Amino acid sequence: MAYCHRCGKEVEAGDAFCHACGSAISGTARVAVGEAAAATDATAPPAPMPPRAAQPYGEQARAETPQEIAERRVKQKLELWWHLGSYVIVNVFLIIIWAITGAGYPWFVWVMIGWGIGVAFHLMHYFMDVHGESRRQRMIQKEMDRLQRRQDA
């Protein structure tokens, strides 16, 4: 038997493409070990690739363990603290530069506003991800209750 050079799956002698990953099989790889090279035509055009079926959403997502959830949340929290800390440190440094150079037009405000928008989105992402699942479940339950009341009426 021959093997796909891309995914390593076993392919049948004479196959033009791997049925697992869809990559084209070269003429030499089409011939199984120990078989004659005349069994396949290396100059033949490759067969059309079959459509690859997408996995349903439920199969793509796997349930996270409590340990993985905790690790992800701690990572997100540390990233948020690093972002907030760097925002404060850099902007304090910019204010000091502004004050030392004559305290004219407060140009540092534009940096604070621009970067502040990024910090606000980071905060929003953190709170929506960490606390969003329970909120989402409550919203789903509320909507189901509303539909049930409408159906009963």
Side-chain angles (χ1 to χ4, degrees), residues 94-108:
L94 292 176
I95 292 170
I96 291 170
I97 291 174
W98 169 78
I100 290 172
T101 59
Y105 179 76
W107 49 266
F108 62 89

Side-chain angles (χ1 to χ4, degrees), residues 5 77 84 87:
H5 68 281
K77 190 178 289 188
L84 288 171
Y87 174 79

Side-chain angles (χ1 to χ4, degrees), residues 48-128:
M49 291 180 52
R52 292 177 67 183
Q55 292 179 339
Y57 179 75
E59 292 178 18
Q60 288 177 349
R62 72 170 180 82
E64 288 182 299
T65 65
Q67 174 75 23
E68 291 172 333
I69 293 170
E71 287 175 1
R72 180 176 46 85
R73 287 184 180 176
V74 166
K75 180 179 182 259
Q76 288 176 339
K77 190 178 289 188
L78 289 173
E79 288 172 350
L80 178 62
W81 280 109
W82 274 103
H83 195 178
L84 288 171
S86 61
Y87 174 79
V88 169
I89 291 168
V90 169
N91 283 305
V92 166
F93 182 68
L94 292 176
I95 292 170
I96 291 170
I97 291 174
W98 169 78
I100 290 172
T101 59
Y105 179 76
W107 49 266
F108 62 89
V109 172
W110 296 108
V111 176
M112 292 175 77
I113 291 171
W115 196 349
I117 292 170
V119 170
F121 276 110
H122 197 155
L123 281 165
M124 189 171 60
H125 172 68
Y126 173 74
F127 285 112
M128 293 307 253

